[in-house]
Amino acid sequence: MDTNGATTSSAAGGGSTSKSSSKKHSRKPVYSRFTQQELPACKPILTPGLVIATFTIIGIIFIPLGLVSLSASEKVVEIVDRYDESCVPSNYSNDKLKFIQNPSINKSCVRTLTVPKLMKSPVFIYYQLDNYYQNHRRYVKSRSDKQLRSVSDEKSTSDCSPEDKTVDGPIVPCGLVAWSLFNDTYWFSVNSKTIEVNKHDIAWKSDKEHKFGSNVYPKNFQSGGLIGGAKLNSSVPLSKQEDLMVWMRTAALPTFRKLYGKIEQDLQANEKIQVVIQNNYNTYSFSGKKKLVLSTTSWIGGKNDFLGIAYIIVGGLCLFLAVCFILLYVIKPR
Amino acid sequence: MVAESSRKRKGKIRWSKLYSFAACFRPLTSKDRLAARELIGQPGFSRVVFCNEPHLHKRKPYKYPYNYISTTKYNVLTFLPRALFEQFRRVANFYFLLAAIFSLFSLAPFSRASLIAPLVFVVGISMLKEAVEDWHRFLQDLDVNNRTVKTHISNGVFVDKLWKELRVGDVVKVNKGEYFPSDLLLLSSGNEDGVCYVETMNLDGETNLKIKRCLEASLCLNEDEEFSKFKATVHCEDPNPNLYTFVGNIEFEKESYPLSPSQLLLRDSKLRNTDYIYGVVIFSGHDTKAVRNSTRSPSKRSRIERKMDHIIYILFSMLVLVSLVSSFGSLLYLRQDMVDWWYLQLPDDNKVNDLDDSNSEKYDDRFFNPSKPVQSAGLQFIRALILYGYLIPISLYVSIEVVKVLQTMLINKDIELYDDVTCKSVQARTSNLNEELGQVEMILSDKTGTLTCNQMEFRKCSIAGVSYGGDITEVDLAASMRMNADFEPFEFSIDETDGATRSFEPFEFSVSSFSAQNWNARLTKTEGPVIKGFNFRDDRLTNKNWIHGSNLFDITMFFRVMALCHTGIPLEDDNHKTDKLSYEAESPEEVSFLIASQEFGFQFCRRTQSLMVLKEFDLSSMKEVEREYKLLNLLEFSSSRKRMSVIVSNEDGQIFLLCKGADSIIFERLADNGRAYEQATTMHLSSYAEDGLRTLAFAYRTIEAAEYESWNTIFTQAKATIGPEREELLEQASETIEKDLILLGVVAVEDKLQKGVPECIDKLAQAGLKIWLLTGDKRETAINIGFACSLLRQDMKQFHLSLSRDAESNNQVKDMKEDILQQIESSYKMVCEERNKEAPFGLVIDGKALEIALRGDVKDEFLQLAVNCASVICCRVSPKQKALITRLVKQYTGKTTLAIGDGANDVGMIQEADIGVGISGMEGMQAVMASDFSLPQFRFLERLLIVHGHWCYQRLSKMVLYFVYKNVAFGLTLFYYELYTSFSGEVLYDDWYMTMFNVMLTSLPVIALGVLEQDVSSDICLQFPALYQQGPRNVHFSWSRIIGWILNGVVSSLVIFLANIYILSPTAMRENGFVADIDSLGATTYTCIIWTVNCQIALITSHFTWIQHLSIWGSILLWYIFLLVYGALPPNFSGNAFQVLVEGIGPAPLYWMITVLVVVVSLLPYFIHIVIQRSYFPMDDHIIQEMEQCYKKYDVRDNEMWVREQRNSQRSTRIGFSARVDAKILSFNQQLQQKKLSIYRSVTNSPIYRSITTSPFS
């Protein structure tokens, strides 16, 4: 301490105060690799070799991946049939709205689909709506998840306006989403033999088990002045109403498909499928399209060429770049 | 301290006596007195102090503050409002505050918690930082406030009292070496005549001691007991910041005496050479002149931060633009399409009228009201502003603050920046300027205490035309060493070819002789005890060997001048082990002379009022004898006279005038027969000066008794006169006697540079920094130091701008302006003409000239000249001028300036500069308190700038750019999604995903980048100082880079969004036929974003420690963990994200494949860009990184390449040690050439050669 003080005072030009001498202990920073910023580190540098290797590896991985997913996509057989136009009788073709809004007109319509290739079971039935903004903010928010889950929250319909309650009490399920439930139905037959449509397990398990209560029953649904879409069987609990669940998983984009059901039998190539459609749902007022889709799936889901092509293009580009850099380094080395 | 001072016994004579005949103290003239008296009681002069009755100052109207000072920004009450105000002054924070407020009115697209939580977090952390910083200030104040001082309580008893408890009117006793606790009125001192000496270095930076003198009336109060009855009343001026004025009077024992500044002892100055003083507190605490003088340090912001504001504005305009697009789009949809979408149940324009009133009132969706489309669009606009808020990085500021605090911590903890001697290390006092350290282009440095340690060392002398103490300078040595090194590899190859070797021989010889001497010099340097102030090794003089020399009379006279011509006094140590004495004198130079003369055997041992006693070595008896010299007169040193003389008579009655002074002054006063050594001495002088040594010439003359008598009468008369003409008379008198001198020689003392200063300056110069020296010292000293630091060198063209007189009238000012302008213009002309040549320019300007040069119309010319000079030295500048120069340089050049200084006189400059650095080695704390960084020593500046500055600069710029990137990349996806939702304001992601984005999922890697990134390691930074130039040139944060990163963000966002919507929709995404709903698409897109931005930062990072790895890959992992945990929560909390990973996207191979694809594609453009840049347009750091790696890989340093690159990377500098060595080598080479030529000539002219070469045919 004393000697320390002496050296300090001599260095500082004499006469250091006692204050500085008392403070100077433990002032010396303790050595640690972190504080000295000498932690062991790897410092990757983009050397030509590394660059070429990176590009090559990406190319080598991506191209096979792309080929595999493209072939998976190729295996998927898909039938798309737009029926909104053709299911309107010709006498109403100028005023489709009138047609669809008139409940007294029989709206069934028959379509024939040809199976292009063997479609292995299960064949998924989708309906596809175009130009339908299920992702509109007003629409998306117009629901009450609480109410769907439990009876006790039946009255929490604050977000559901204008489909929140009727004079008889709260609407269950409330809100625009449920209110506008899709109500076209399809009935399939091959050679006059009805094809069974399995409408189970088309909704998420968590929806059935957690989000839609098993003791919540539809109430006052579609009983207001305006009728939106489908009606619900008020004796069936919501947890069994899989169509509703599918509908209520709102789509992200204005063109979307929703699962309607599954056909659990193979459809042979060139088979003609007769579809009887109850064309109830109004897409005519906003010139939306309705399509019926039959599709098989593979491990990448439905038909999806984009992914495979993208992989192949990126992989190819990387290989090309690798070659370019090799050439560049050969021609113009640094 | 007290004990120490009591150990030293004073000589019999009081210091003050010396000055009894000196010209420095001038009593107030009667006229002044009258004027002062009239002022008392007027406004501004109303203060009344009841001495020794502090209790009277507890009540109004005499209630003055305690001696408590506070430098904190906030107190407990004001902290919250003021800190909040500071926070929301930032545009971004204010924006988020507004967003949070809107969220309360359900205007916002997000939940309240997700908007308010991050804001609270961000603002909270910033405020916490403020609080901690203020707390440190508080602790510092506490330290000062709790110092103690002996204070009179009653009956003559003095007890220790804390500074902060001191009141106006208290009588205090301050001991030697202590600071004055407040502004005191000097009552009496330990010296009989009431004089005391104070050091005011902390206030004005002047190192010489100032004399303060008490009133004669209070002289008797020099014992503790005297104060039991003491009472007096002081009427004086009100508190003001003027250090050099004080007006007041004291009523004491029914008499009134006027007071002057010489009775006022200022706070922060220090008692020196006086045992104790008694004083009464006049101004306390915040009323003291020192505190009034200090200005609150302005808050500084770095360039990057200022530029960052512009980036924020760009992002804001982007935000407004996309919001406008959204609201406009929404308007169009609402007008045309939306009413047809029956599923929305929007009331139709026409239908609204049809509906009954209750129904229309019920309709409360203000965002989609077709009857009021414009209002709806307006609301949509506000909502969009909040929705796209992710374009504005909310956590940018807070991340930067966290990073800077951590950077600061690392700087403070750097062991290389720790000074063992002072036990202090570098302190970054504010954390917001770290990166500014990497952009400095100009250093403005103080001299005393910063470059030098205010210690003088006796180095060399030239006596009677012979130089002692070594001939060669450091520069010569270094040059010869390097030339040797350069030439050795070539030697062999040259040896083989005949003839050439011979021409090299003489050169080799000269160089080796240099190095031999170098060795000797080094050897002798290390042996023997080190004597402070004496660094002189020459066997011819030390150990009394001088007696064997010739010219003995001159040598003894020389030593006598050294031992007698001064104002110092010896200090006797009681426990003297040796018979060596130590000395105290007004300037450190004199001390070094006294020590030196003692070493040479002329020990100055006693001084009485009229006697000086020397212990001399008597040549005849070869013994040490004591000789007494009668001190007859002492002619003071002053800056205008530049010399000092004593007139003494020796024991034989011979009268000598011994004189020392500046060489030019002495030389012009030499007698014709006194110029024997002039030529040799002049040569030595110039070589000393080039080494940066301060020289003084010694001369003497003998005076006949008669001449002395007649002169003495004139002199005493002059001394007795009172009034302004006194000094003039004294000067005239001195003039008549200081003539016809006989030159003895010169001494060279070294104003000792602090450790490592030349090397540091050299490195800084290599890094491309300009260094200006601003000093209050005189020109000669400044130039000496300029040489010592290699800021100046002999072959440099120097311009001297100076004025001889102060400007008094306007006319003169005009003339002077003309004069200066002319000087500047002619100099500048020369600069322009010779710019292409290698010779650099140096500019030396003094304070008076500067005063003119910095005025409005001249300053541009001046700055133009100054900027074009390699080094600029400003001498005799006042603290105010220092600040002014700093400001003008900053404004004129627009470059980042760094000011470094140690004293209170540097405070202005330190506050004015972009970065202020204070030297904490010295005791004064003012500079440190005002500074942004404090260093124990100047040399640490090198590492602070070149390593930490460079690192922090590139860390922070990388970090900010990345921040911009990631927020653009994320924020724009929100906008693209709007295009698909008819601009209705629906959000693709869950609220909590988005909240997590800036707070958790991307914050850690960016902090790791900001704290730990290193482009190259620290020793490589130091080896390649040119790398520093990246900062000043701002390569990492140029607009092109910023735009580039924004574009990169746009590209990434496009890739992410488009790939996701095209791949995921509308077909099934899993084998079980499920399609992607809004939640799956959101989670998938968000996963891609997290991967992309985190991989992007991995591409930016060039230095991966485990921390970086952990934070980057950990962040990605954290996202999955978050998604799992959040999804596992009951649907009450997790809402739509319930089980989304486990049930929705996790099992889909598509999800994982999209992630891989998107990451690769979105990073590809950047990757290609850096690959091309690195390969074909590499930057400095790239090259060095590769070299570093090569070096590591092969483990053999390709020495030649390394050194070559290193040398190439140094900027060609014009100042600094290396530049000097280069210049020296150049001149050596020229000499060599000449020698070669002469040898060649001599050979070719020789008859033998001729006979050989003459053709046999002729």
Side-chain angles (χ1 to χ4, degrees), chain B residues 837-908:
Chain B
K837 295 182 190 166
E838 271 305 294
F841 301 94
L843 178 68
V844 180
I845 184 165
D846 69 3
K848 287 175 200 157
L850 206 57
E851 171 120 33
I852 306 285
L854 291 181
R855 291 195 184 184
D857 33 352
V858 195
K859 71 171 186 235
D860 281 355
E861 277 88 356
F862 166 67
L863 288 168
Q864 190 181 32
L865 172 68
V867 167
N868 277 300
C869 288
S871 50
V872 177
I873 292 179
C874 305
C875 37
R876 286 232 159 268
V877 288
S878 65
K880 220 169 129 195
Q881 279 180 324
K882 284 186 177 182
L884 188 63
I885 296 168
T886 313
R887 187 190 309 153
L888 289 178
V889 165
K890 203 169 80 176
Q891 283 168 357
Y892 179 78
T893 60
K895 291 171 178 169
T896 312
T897 53
L898 178 146
I900 180 166
D902 72 315
N905 58 334
D906 305 315
V907 166

Side-chain angles (χ1 to χ4, degrees), chain A residues 37 126 149 205 252 297 311, chain B residues 955 977 1071 1073 1132 1143 1153:
Chain A
Q37 312 193 39
Y126 300 94
R149 248 188 328 264
K205 206 169 114 223
T297 56
Y311 260 98
Chain B
R955 282 170 184 170
Y977 187 61
E1071 204 160 6
N1132 265 350
E1143 236 201 304
M1153 285 190 73

Side-chain angles (χ1 to χ4, degrees), chain B residues 236-256:
Chain B
C236 66
E237 62 184 20
D238 288 342
N240 63 55
N242 203 331
L243 290 179
Y244 302 108
T245 63
F246 178 67
V247 177
N249 61 27
I250 180 166
E251 275 171 41
F252 177 50
E253 291 168 349
K254 288 169 193 155
E255 282 268 355
S256 174

Side-chain angles (χ1 to χ4, degrees), chain B residues 15 207-209 272 447-448 452-461 532-535 558-559 561-569 582-598 600 604 637-639 642-644 659-663 666 685 692-698 746-752 776-782 784-785 876:
Chain B
W15 247 64
T207 48
N208 58 332
L209 302 180
R272 290 278 303 269
K447 184 188 74 70
T448 318
T452 66
C453 30
N454 202 25
Q455 253 180 47
M456 294 294 168
E457 273 193 345
F458 187 88
R459 280 298 300 276
K460 291 177 185 182
C461 60
K532 195 180 147 201
F534 186 69
N535 182 8
F558 184 87
F559 291 148
V561 175
M562 199 143 77
L564 291 174
C565 183
H566 58 81
T567 57
I569 48 167
S582 58
Y583 298 94
E584 217 167 272
E586 213 187 338
S587 77
E589 264 166 86
E590 291 193 333
V591 175
S592 78
F593 290 155
L594 284 171
I595 288 170
S597 70
Q598 170 172 287
F600 292 137
F604 169 60
F637 184 89
S638 79
S639 53
K642 292 184 181 169
R643 62 182 184 273
M644 168 192 175
C659 182
K660 67 175 183 194
D663 47 70
I666 299 287
L685 266 176
L693 301 178
R694 185 183 296 186
T695 52
L696 276 178
F698 285 0
V746 292
V747 286
V749 287
E750 186 181 9
D751 191 355
K752 207 170 168 231
D777 232 322
K778 49 187 186 285
R779 195 168 86 186
E780 291 75 14
T781 323
N784 285 340
I785 290 300
R876 286 232 159 268

Side-chain angles (χ1 to χ4, degrees), chain B residues 57-259:
Chain B
H57 292 290
K58 282 179 184 159
R59 273 170 282 116
K60 278 185 177 171
Y62 301 122
K63 192 176 175 188
Y64 302 126
Y66 275 103
N67 194 32
Y68 173 85
I69 58 155
S70 156
T71 54
T72 55
K73 259 190 191 162
Y74 313 104
N75 63 36
V76 180
L77 282 178
T78 60
F79 176 73
L80 208 62
R82 284 192 62 189
L84 277 176
F85 175 72
E86 288 291 322
Q87 285 306 313
F88 290 117
R89 273 198 340 193
R90 288 175 167 170
V91 198
N93 281 353
F94 185 67
Y95 161 78
F96 286 107
L97 176 70
L98 278 187
I101 290 171
F102 280 129
S103 75
L104 297 177
F105 304 112
S106 73
L107 269 172
F110 310 126
S111 66
R112 280 165 207 181
S114 65
L115 271 174
I116 295 170
L119 184 73
V120 170
F121 177 73
V122 163
V123 172
I125 285 194
S126 303
M127 280 171 65
L128 190 73
K129 187 194 146 204
E130 283 283 302
V132 169
E133 281 187 355
D134 216 41
W135 176 250
H136 281 294
R137 271 187 287 256
F138 174 72
L139 289 182
Q140 233 160 14
D141 290 346
L142 206 65
D143 190 56
V144 172
N145 286 326
N146 285 348
R147 290 189 198 168
T148 57
V149 64
K150 287 247 182 286
T151 312
H152 180 244
I153 39 168
S154 61
N155 299 327
V157 181
F158 281 74
V159 292
D160 276 334
K161 208 168 171 184
L162 297 180
W163 278 27
K164 64 178 175 190
E165 286 166 0
L166 225 51
R167 262 199 168 282
V168 169
D170 269 327
V171 173
V172 295
K173 181 182 183 181
V174 178
N175 288 311
K176 185 175 175 180
E178 290 178 347
Y179 285 100
F180 301 120
S182 63
D183 290 355
L184 304 176
L185 180 72
L186 177 63
L187 293 174
S188 63
S189 81
N191 296 334
E192 288 151 18
D193 50 3
V195 163
C196 73
Y197 297 91
V198 293
E199 185 192 88
T200 55
M201 208 163 74
N202 279 339
L203 291 170
D204 50 18
E206 291 177 27
T207 48
N208 58 332
L209 302 180
K210 305 252 167 31
I211 308 153
K212 298 281 179 177
R213 176 181 298 241
C214 73
L215 292 177
E216 296 205 359
S218 61
L219 255 180
C220 52
L221 298 164
N222 58 357
E223 293 293 332
D224 284 4
E225 291 75 33
E226 305 277 347
F227 287 94
S228 54
K229 295 265 162 50
F230 168 70
K231 280 206 172 43
T233 311
V234 174
H235 295 265
C236 66
E237 62 184 20
D238 288 342
N240 63 55
N242 203 331
L243 290 179
Y244 302 108
T245 63
F246 178 67
V247 177
N249 61 27
I250 180 166
E251 275 171 41
F252 177 50
E253 291 168 349
K254 288 169 193 155
E255 282 268 355
S256 174
Y257 308 93
L259 297 172

